[in-house]
Amino acid sequence: MPLIRDIVQADYSVVEELLYSNDLGDGRFYDPEGLDVVVAELHGRVVVGVAEFQLHCDFGHDEGREAHPGEQTFILTMAVAHTDRRGGVGRALLAEIARRAQRAGHTFLALVPQDGADAAGRQAFFQACGFTLYGPAGPGAAWGCPVSEILAVKDTAAPKAGG
């Protein structure tokens, strides 16, 4: 199981490479300023996953999505190394974000799956985790999931550090 922890500066180059290899980064120096970021480690020191999020966000109302609950936690980007997919890393990252959201008093996670080469794969992953479309379908469509649904999944309990 991966260890989920807060990002540290020593992780920046590995995270930029990870994002770039998932068609989510631009290859420039990684700077997470203003974002909440957690990484997933395997084998004691190898970063194999990253999730960028905003713990406090009112995306639904800002975007005119009246059916969307108020303040929630918004997931901006998630990436897992291709060699470590389907091993629980993505679900462990989501579970840590859900735990932090719950501690902050939020009951809902929201995201907009990134477009690009693996858009269908990203959408399938989020759907398998319980996220559903809550607005019109199409590019930039918002997806959401109750925090309780993410936390109810049995195999999401990963060791964590920080937080």
XYZ file of all heavy atoms in Angstrom, residues 59-143:
632
model
N -16.668 26.010 -6.245
C -16.704 25.894 -7.697
C -18.124 25.815 -8.241
O -18.447 26.457 -9.220
C -15.902 24.660 -8.106
C -15.990 24.312 -9.561
C -15.259 25.003 -10.491
C -16.799 23.277 -9.995
C -15.327 24.688 -11.826
C -16.877 22.942 -11.327
C -16.138 23.644 -12.249
N -18.984 25.032 -7.641
C -20.336 24.826 -8.161
C -21.133 26.101 -8.278
O -21.737 26.378 -9.307
N -21.125 26.906 -7.229
C -21.886 28.143 -7.270
C -21.199 29.187 -8.141
O -21.864 29.923 -8.857
C -22.117 28.671 -5.853
C -23.087 27.831 -5.082
N -24.436 27.992 -5.174
C -22.890 26.793 -4.248
C -25.048 27.104 -4.409
N -24.116 26.348 -3.840
N -19.867 29.233 -8.113
C -19.126 30.184 -8.952
C -19.400 29.944 -10.427
O -19.406 30.872 -11.223
C -17.614 30.074 -8.715
C -17.203 30.584 -7.336
O -18.038 31.220 -6.675
O -16.047 30.329 -6.948
N -19.613 28.708 -10.801
C -19.838 28.353 -12.196
C -21.330 28.299 -12.546
O -21.686 27.841 -13.622
C -19.197 26.988 -12.499
C -17.693 26.985 -12.323
C -17.012 27.920 -13.293
O -17.365 27.917 -14.488
O -16.122 28.673 -12.856
N -22.202 28.695 -11.640
C -23.631 28.711 -11.914
C -24.284 27.346 -11.850
O -25.336 27.132 -12.429
N -23.674 26.416 -11.158
C -24.255 25.080 -11.022
C -25.105 25.057 -9.754
O -24.649 24.666 -8.693
C -23.147 24.032 -10.984
C -22.402 23.930 -12.292
C -21.278 22.918 -12.184
N -20.712 22.661 -13.488
C -19.586 23.213 -13.925
N -18.924 24.045 -13.167
N -19.131 22.915 -15.118
N -26.313 25.472 -9.868
C -27.185 25.634 -8.707
C -27.456 24.333 -7.960
O -27.688 24.342 -6.763
C -28.508 26.275 -9.132
C -28.341 27.711 -9.612
C -27.676 28.620 -8.582
O -27.961 28.492 -7.371
O -26.870 29.468 -8.993
N -27.451 23.199 -8.652
C -27.735 21.926 -7.998
C -26.545 21.427 -7.186
O -26.665 20.480 -6.423
C -28.105 20.870 -9.048
N -25.413 22.076 -7.343
C -24.203 21.637 -6.667
C -24.189 22.141 -5.230
O -24.562 23.269 -4.962
C -23.000 22.191 -7.423
C -21.694 21.744 -6.889
N -21.466 20.476 -6.435
C -20.542 22.391 -6.743
C -20.227 20.377 -6.034
N -19.646 21.536 -6.212
N -23.773 21.289 -4.280
C -23.711 21.749 -2.896
C -22.733 22.903 -2.753
O -21.926 23.150 -3.634
C -23.229 20.517 -2.126
C -22.801 19.522 -3.113
C -23.324 19.932 -4.442
N -22.783 23.576 -1.653
C -21.925 24.730 -1.413
C -20.460 24.369 -1.402
O -19.982 23.613 -2.232
N -19.750 24.895 -0.450
C -18.302 24.702 -0.410
C -17.934 23.235 -0.333
O -18.523 22.471 0.409
C -17.728 25.460 0.790
C -16.237 25.614 0.715
C -15.719 26.582 1.735
O -16.114 27.760 1.679
O -14.926 26.161 2.579
N -16.965 22.867 -1.136
C -16.513 21.488 -1.190
C -15.003 21.468 -1.418
O -14.379 22.513 -1.471
C -17.237 20.722 -2.299
C -16.758 21.019 -3.693
C -17.353 22.268 -4.328
O -16.946 22.603 -5.407
N -18.286 22.956 -3.724
N -14.455 20.290 -1.564
C -13.051 20.137 -1.914
C -12.992 19.817 -3.403
O -13.706 18.941 -3.888
C -12.406 19.028 -1.067
O -12.436 19.448 0.304
C -10.975 18.770 -1.488
N -12.145 20.553 -4.113
C -12.057 20.425 -5.564
C -10.719 19.806 -5.942
O -9.662 20.332 -5.595
C -12.206 21.791 -6.236
C -12.327 21.697 -7.728
C -13.531 21.365 -8.302
C -11.233 21.937 -8.550
C -13.648 21.256 -9.685
C -11.342 21.835 -9.922
C -12.554 21.507 -10.497
N -10.757 18.687 -6.637
C -9.552 18.002 -7.098
C -9.181 18.562 -8.466
O -9.974 18.509 -9.402
C -9.774 16.481 -7.172
C -10.158 15.952 -5.788
C -8.537 15.781 -7.724
C -10.706 14.548 -5.788
N -7.982 19.105 -8.543
C -7.530 19.724 -9.788
C -6.834 18.733 -10.710
O -7.123 18.685 -11.903
C -6.576 20.884 -9.468
C -7.252 22.011 -8.705
C -6.294 22.680 -7.757
C -7.834 22.999 -9.676
N -5.896 17.972 -10.171
C -5.090 17.069 -10.989
C -4.727 15.834 -10.189
O -4.397 15.936 -9.007
C -3.775 17.761 -11.428
O -4.071 19.004 -12.036
C -2.998 16.901 -12.396
N -4.788 14.692 -10.838
C -4.295 13.441 -10.255
C -3.502 12.718 -11.319
O -3.918 12.663 -12.473
C -5.440 12.546 -9.797
C -6.004 12.924 -8.466
S -7.178 11.698 -7.859
C -6.189 10.223 -7.821
N -2.366 12.166 -10.907
C -1.553 11.384 -11.833
C -0.891 10.249 -11.073
O -0.446 10.423 -9.939
C -0.491 12.261 -12.488
N -0.834 9.093 -11.719
C -0.164 7.916 -11.166
C 0.770 7.394 -12.250
O 0.407 7.361 -13.435
C -1.183 6.829 -10.751
C -0.487 5.549 -10.320
C -2.087 7.346 -9.632
N 1.974 6.999 -11.854
C 2.934 6.431 -12.807
C 2.287 5.258 -13.542
O 1.590 4.446 -12.933
C 4.192 5.971 -12.074
N 2.520 5.179 -14.833
C 1.911 4.123 -15.650
C 2.223 2.733 -15.100
O 1.366 1.857 -15.121
C 2.376 4.241 -17.105
C 1.898 5.495 -17.773
N 0.610 5.648 -18.218
C 2.523 6.666 -18.030
C 0.453 6.858 -18.739
N 1.608 7.497 -18.643
N 3.427 2.542 -14.585
C 3.833 1.227 -14.079
C 3.171 0.862 -12.757
O 3.207 -0.295 -12.352
C 5.359 1.178 -13.881
O 5.743 2.242 -13.015
C 6.090 1.296 -15.214
N 2.549 1.841 -12.093
C 1.944 1.581 -10.782
C 0.434 1.749 -10.776
O -0.188 1.787 -9.712
C 2.590 2.502 -9.737
C 4.043 2.147 -9.530
O 4.294 1.074 -8.966
O 4.914 2.914 -9.972
N -0.170 1.815 -11.936
C -1.629 1.912 -12.018
C -2.261 0.575 -11.666
O -1.636 -0.469 -11.762
C -2.056 2.337 -13.418
C -1.707 3.780 -13.679
C -2.293 4.244 -14.959
N -1.976 5.657 -15.132
C -2.184 6.320 -16.231
N -2.724 5.717 -17.275
N -1.864 7.588 -16.309
N -3.501 0.641 -11.240
C -4.304 -0.534 -10.881
C -3.767 -1.231 -9.637
O -4.019 -2.409 -9.412
C -4.428 -1.492 -12.057
C -5.019 -0.817 -13.292
C -5.477 -1.746 -14.351
N -6.605 -2.572 -13.987
C -7.890 -2.192 -13.961
N -8.211 -0.961 -14.251
N -8.836 -3.036 -13.642
N -3.037 -0.460 -8.810
C -2.514 -1.015 -7.574
C -3.026 -0.293 -6.337
O -2.494 -0.488 -5.248
N -4.028 0.561 -6.502
C -4.613 1.255 -5.361
C -4.044 2.626 -5.070
O -4.489 3.292 -4.138
N -3.089 3.084 -5.861
C -2.463 4.390 -5.612
C -3.472 5.521 -5.796
O -3.602 6.397 -4.936
C -1.225 4.598 -6.514
C -0.661 6.007 -6.360
C -0.155 3.560 -6.208
N -4.200 5.523 -6.900
C -5.192 6.580 -7.154
C -6.278 6.608 -6.098
O -6.659 7.665 -5.599
N -6.767 5.435 -5.729
C -7.806 5.365 -4.685
C -7.265 5.834 -3.337
O -7.978 6.466 -2.570
C -8.362 3.950 -4.587
C -9.285 3.609 -5.745
C -9.897 2.217 -5.559
N -10.707 1.844 -6.682
C -12.015 2.089 -6.781
N -12.648 2.700 -5.820
N -12.697 1.691 -7.849
N -6.003 5.527 -3.045
C -5.406 5.987 -1.781
C -5.272 7.509 -1.769
O -5.516 8.148 -0.736
C -4.055 5.320 -1.566
N -4.919 8.096 -2.899
C -4.848 9.558 -2.986
C -6.238 10.167 -2.762
O -6.388 11.130 -1.996
C -4.286 9.991 -4.341
C -2.793 9.760 -4.562
C -2.444 9.868 -6.043
C -1.969 10.739 -3.730
N -7.253 9.606 -3.432
C -8.629 10.103 -3.251
C -9.086 9.963 -1.800
O -9.734 10.863 -1.258
C -9.602 9.341 -4.153
C -9.665 9.758 -5.611
C -10.615 8.843 -6.371
C -10.068 11.206 -5.752
N -8.757 8.849 -1.162
C -9.165 8.621 0.223
C -8.531 9.661 1.149
O -9.188 10.156 2.065
C -8.801 7.212 0.671
N -7.267 10.001 0.909
C -6.625 11.009 1.750
C -7.268 12.373 1.559
O -7.505 13.097 2.527
C -5.121 11.082 1.453
C -4.392 12.123 2.275
C -4.475 11.933 3.790
O -4.776 10.817 4.272
O -4.233 12.921 4.511
N -7.588 12.721 0.327
C -8.273 13.999 0.076
C -9.634 13.986 0.762
O -10.034 14.975 1.382
C -8.402 14.255 -1.440
C -7.016 14.464 -2.049
C -9.297 15.468 -1.700
C -7.006 14.464 -3.576
N -10.361 12.877 0.682
C -11.675 12.766 1.327
C -11.551 12.906 2.844
O -12.384 13.571 3.472
C -12.332 11.438 0.962
N -10.534 12.287 3.444
C -10.339 12.420 4.896
C -10.093 13.882 5.273
O -10.642 14.384 6.259
C -9.176 11.551 5.368
C -9.529 10.086 5.522
C -8.426 9.294 6.218
N -7.299 9.011 5.362
C -7.240 8.009 4.488
N -8.272 7.197 4.345
N -6.167 7.811 3.762
N -9.275 14.567 4.495
C -8.986 15.976 4.784
C -10.234 16.834 4.585
O -10.478 17.761 5.349
C -7.831 16.466 3.921
C -6.511 15.830 4.315
C -5.379 16.277 3.447
N -4.168 15.547 3.771
C -2.953 16.025 3.613
N -2.772 17.231 3.116
N -1.903 15.295 3.925
N -11.004 16.530 3.558
C -12.249 17.262 3.312
C -13.215 17.061 4.479
O -13.825 18.020 4.969
C -12.886 16.787 2.009
N -13.334 15.823 4.938
C -14.223 15.534 6.061
C -13.796 16.307 7.312
O -14.633 16.882 8.009
C -14.242 14.035 6.320
C -15.239 13.618 7.388
C -15.246 12.114 7.579
O -14.205 11.513 7.835
N -16.427 11.517 7.436
N -12.489 16.313 7.600
C -11.991 17.067 8.762
C -12.285 18.563 8.639
O -12.468 19.246 9.638
C -10.487 16.848 8.943
C -10.141 15.506 9.544
C -8.711 15.427 10.034
N -7.725 15.699 9.031
C -7.056 14.784 8.330
N -7.286 13.511 8.532
N -6.164 15.143 7.435
N -12.339 19.067 7.399
C -12.634 20.484 7.159
C -14.135 20.761 7.159
O -14.555 21.905 6.982
C -12.019 20.917 5.832
N -14.949 19.713 7.330
C -16.395 19.889 7.371
C -17.073 19.835 6.016
O -18.241 20.189 5.888
N -16.377 19.374 4.991
C -16.954 19.277 3.652
C -17.547 17.889 3.445
O -17.032 16.900 3.958
C -15.899 19.554 2.582
C -15.256 20.890 2.737
N -15.863 22.070 2.383
C -14.054 21.237 3.247
C -15.070 23.084 2.663
N -13.956 22.600 3.199
N -18.595 17.821 2.660
C -19.262 16.548 2.419
C -19.204 16.125 0.961
O -19.766 15.102 0.593
C -20.739 16.624 2.844
O -21.384 17.654 2.077
C -20.873 16.911 4.328
N -18.512 16.905 0.129
C -18.559 16.662 -1.312
C -17.195 16.918 -1.943
O -16.516 17.884 -1.600
C -19.597 17.611 -1.933
C -20.047 17.246 -3.313
C -20.920 16.193 -3.524
C -19.619 17.979 -4.403
C -21.350 15.872 -4.806
C -20.044 17.667 -5.681
C -20.914 16.608 -5.888
N -16.801 16.028 -2.868
C -15.607 16.218 -3.686
C -16.064 16.529 -5.102
O -17.020 15.922 -5.590
C -14.738 14.962 -3.717
C -14.172 14.440 -2.405
C -13.347 13.181 -2.662
C -13.331 15.494 -1.720
N -15.377 17.443 -5.759
C -15.702 17.790 -7.139
C -14.431 17.797 -7.973
O -13.327 17.975 -7.444
C -16.366 19.168 -7.193
N -14.599 17.583 -9.277
C -13.468 17.637 -10.203
C -13.976 17.792 -11.619
O -15.152 17.594 -11.899
C -12.593 16.387 -10.077
C -13.247 15.019 -10.322
C -13.292 14.665 -11.803
C -12.476 13.955 -9.573
N -13.066 18.174 -12.494
C -13.313 18.179 -13.925
C -12.201 17.336 -14.531
O -11.047 17.757 -14.538
C -13.292 19.605 -14.519
C -13.407 19.561 -16.036
C -14.403 20.456 -13.918
N -12.516 16.098 -14.983
C -11.455 15.256 -15.545
C -10.757 15.964 -16.707
O -11.418 16.553 -17.562
C -12.197 14.011 -16.038
C -13.461 13.989 -15.250
C -13.821 15.437 -15.023
N -9.428 15.912 -16.712
C -8.675 16.585 -17.760
C -8.917 15.923 -19.108
O -9.092 14.716 -19.195
C -7.160 16.547 -17.450
C -6.756 17.438 -16.313
C -6.901 16.763 -14.954
O -7.301 15.614 -14.824
N -6.592 17.496 -13.902
N -8.923 16.745 -20.141
C -9.003 16.245 -21.503
C -7.626 15.708 -21.880
O -6.705 15.732 -21.083
C -9.413 17.371 -22.460
C -10.829 17.864 -22.190
O -11.653 17.056 -21.733
O -11.099 19.055 -22.435
N -7.467 15.255 -23.081
C -6.162 14.808 -23.548
C -6.149 13.349 -23.912
O -7.187 12.693 -24.038
N -4.931 12.833 -24.033
C -4.714 11.483 -24.552
C -5.430 10.404 -23.747
O -5.927 9.455 -24.317
C -3.218 11.194 -24.617
N -5.503 10.534 -22.448
C -6.096 9.475 -21.631
C -7.392 9.933 -20.951
O -7.726 9.472 -19.870
C -5.085 9.000 -20.586
C -5.479 7.676 -19.950
O -6.280 6.932 -20.552
O -5.008 7.392 -18.835
N -8.117 10.835 -21.600
C -9.343 11.371 -20.998
C -10.344 10.273 -20.664
O -10.934 10.269 -19.584
C -9.979 12.412 -21.917
N -10.525 9.312 -21.554
C -11.489 8.224 -21.316
C -11.055 7.385 -20.122
O -11.881 6.986 -19.303
C -11.648 7.367 -22.552
N -9.776 7.124 -19.996
C -9.259 6.363 -18.865
C -9.445 7.090 -17.554
O -9.806 6.486 -16.539
N -9.200 8.405 -17.556
C -9.403 9.207 -16.341
C -10.878 9.188 -15.927
O -11.203 9.008 -14.760
C -8.935 10.644 -16.565
C -7.437 10.817 -16.530
C -7.058 12.288 -16.553
N -6.792 12.798 -17.871
C -5.642 12.671 -18.519
N -4.656 12.010 -17.974
N -5.473 13.198 -19.704
N -11.769 9.376 -16.901
C -13.195 9.359 -16.591
C -13.631 7.995 -16.062
O -14.403 7.916 -15.106
C -14.013 9.742 -17.823
C -13.879 11.209 -18.166
C -14.693 11.591 -19.384
O -15.395 10.780 -19.971
N -14.599 12.852 -19.770
N -13.129 6.935 -16.645
C -13.477 5.587 -16.185
C -12.998 5.368 -14.747
O -13.716 4.780 -13.934
C -12.880 4.536 -17.115
N -11.796 5.837 -14.430
C -11.282 5.707 -13.067
C -12.176 6.450 -12.081
O -12.598 5.894 -11.068
C -9.844 6.236 -12.968
C -9.382 6.396 -11.546
C -9.046 5.283 -10.782
C -9.314 7.650 -10.960
C -8.637 5.424 -9.455
C -8.910 7.798 -9.640
C -8.573 6.679 -8.889
N -12.476 7.713 -12.373
C -13.303 8.487 -11.441
C -14.705 7.895 -11.312
O -15.263 7.865 -10.214
C -13.351 9.964 -11.849
C -12.038 10.664 -11.657
C -11.391 11.264 -12.705
C -11.439 10.718 -10.404
C -10.177 11.903 -12.528
C -10.223 11.353 -10.205
C -9.583 11.947 -11.279
N -15.256 7.394 -12.390
C -16.570 6.764 -12.328
C -16.515 5.506 -11.465
O -17.405 5.262 -10.652
C -17.062 6.436 -13.731
C -18.498 5.975 -13.755
C -19.020 5.840 -15.179
O -18.266 5.693 -16.130
N -20.335 5.893 -15.309
N -15.460 4.716 -11.598
C -15.308 3.503 -10.784
C -15.165 3.841 -9.303
O -15.517 3.031 -8.444
C -14.098 2.698 -11.258
N -14.684 5.038 -9.009
C -14.524 5.475 -7.612
C -15.795 6.086 -7.042
O -15.846 6.424 -5.858
C -13.372 6.471 -7.510
S -11.754 5.721 -7.800
N -16.828 6.253 -7.865
C -18.102 6.775 -7.371
C -18.460 8.161 -7.853
O -19.520 8.691 -7.512
N -17.614 8.796 -8.645
C -17.920 10.133 -9.165
C -18.940 10.016 -10.284
O -18.907 9.074 -11.076
C -16.657 10.806 -9.708
C -15.746 11.330 -8.643
C -14.877 10.486 -7.979
C -15.760 12.674 -8.285
C -14.034 10.952 -6.988
C -14.926 13.149 -7.297
C -14.058 12.291 -6.643
N -19.845 10.991 -10.342
C -20.836 11.039 -11.407
C -20.890 12.454 -11.966
O -20.554 13.429 -11.284
C -22.240 10.649 -10.911
O -22.618 11.520 -9.829
C -22.286 9.201 -10.442
N -21.326 12.537 -13.176
C -21.518 13.810 -13.850
C -22.666 14.547 -13.173
O -23.707 13.952 -12.906
C -21.855 13.521 -15.313
C -21.861 14.659 -16.296
C -20.461 15.243 -16.441
C -22.335 14.144 -17.649
N -22.498 15.823 -12.841
C -23.626 16.533 -12.237
C -23.991 17.796 -12.991
O -24.653 18.681 -12.470
C -23.397 16.817 -10.747
C -22.273 17.773 -10.427
C -22.468 19.144 -10.458
C -21.038 17.297 -10.068
C -21.444 20.006 -10.157
C -20.019 18.146 -9.757
C -20.226 19.510 -9.803
O -19.207 20.366 -9.497
N -23.637 17.860 -14.222
C -24.021 18.962 -15.096
C -24.105 18.430 -16.513
O -24.047 17.225 -16.728
N -24.197 19.325 -17.478
C -24.249 18.863 -18.857
C -22.951 18.155 -19.263
O -21.859 18.558 -18.857
C -24.450 20.133 -19.676
C -24.443 21.268 -18.720
C -24.289 20.755 -17.343
N -23.074 17.095 -20.068
C -21.900 16.355 -20.536
C -21.134 17.194 -21.554
O -21.690 18.091 -22.182
C -22.337 15.040 -21.168
N -19.861 16.904 -21.698
C -19.027 17.591 -22.673
C -17.719 18.018 -22.053
O -17.480 17.799 -20.856
N -16.838 18.617 -22.858
C -15.553 19.082 -22.327
C -15.764 20.074 -21.176
O -16.641 20.926 -21.231
C -14.897 19.780 -23.522
C -15.571 19.178 -24.722
C -16.983 18.870 -24.273
N -15.016 19.893 -20.128
C -15.136 20.774 -18.966
C -16.293 20.423 -18.051
O -16.620 21.182 -17.140
N -16.928 19.279 -18.269
C -18.054 18.866 -17.438
C -17.587 18.547 -16.022
O -16.533 17.943 -15.823
C -18.747 17.655 -18.047
N -18.375 18.951 -15.058
C -18.034 18.722 -13.654
C -18.582 17.386 -13.173
O -19.671 16.974 -13.553
C -18.608 19.856 -12.810
N -17.784 16.730 -12.342
C -18.147 15.463 -11.724
C -18.062 15.642 -10.221
O -17.309 16.468 -9.719
C -17.176 14.371 -12.134
C -17.217 13.979 -13.583
C -17.194 14.801 -14.667
C -17.256 12.659 -14.095
N -17.219 14.066 -15.824
C -17.248 12.745 -15.504
C -17.280 11.411 -13.503
C -17.279 11.626 -16.328
C -17.297 10.293 -14.320
C -17.314 10.405 -15.722
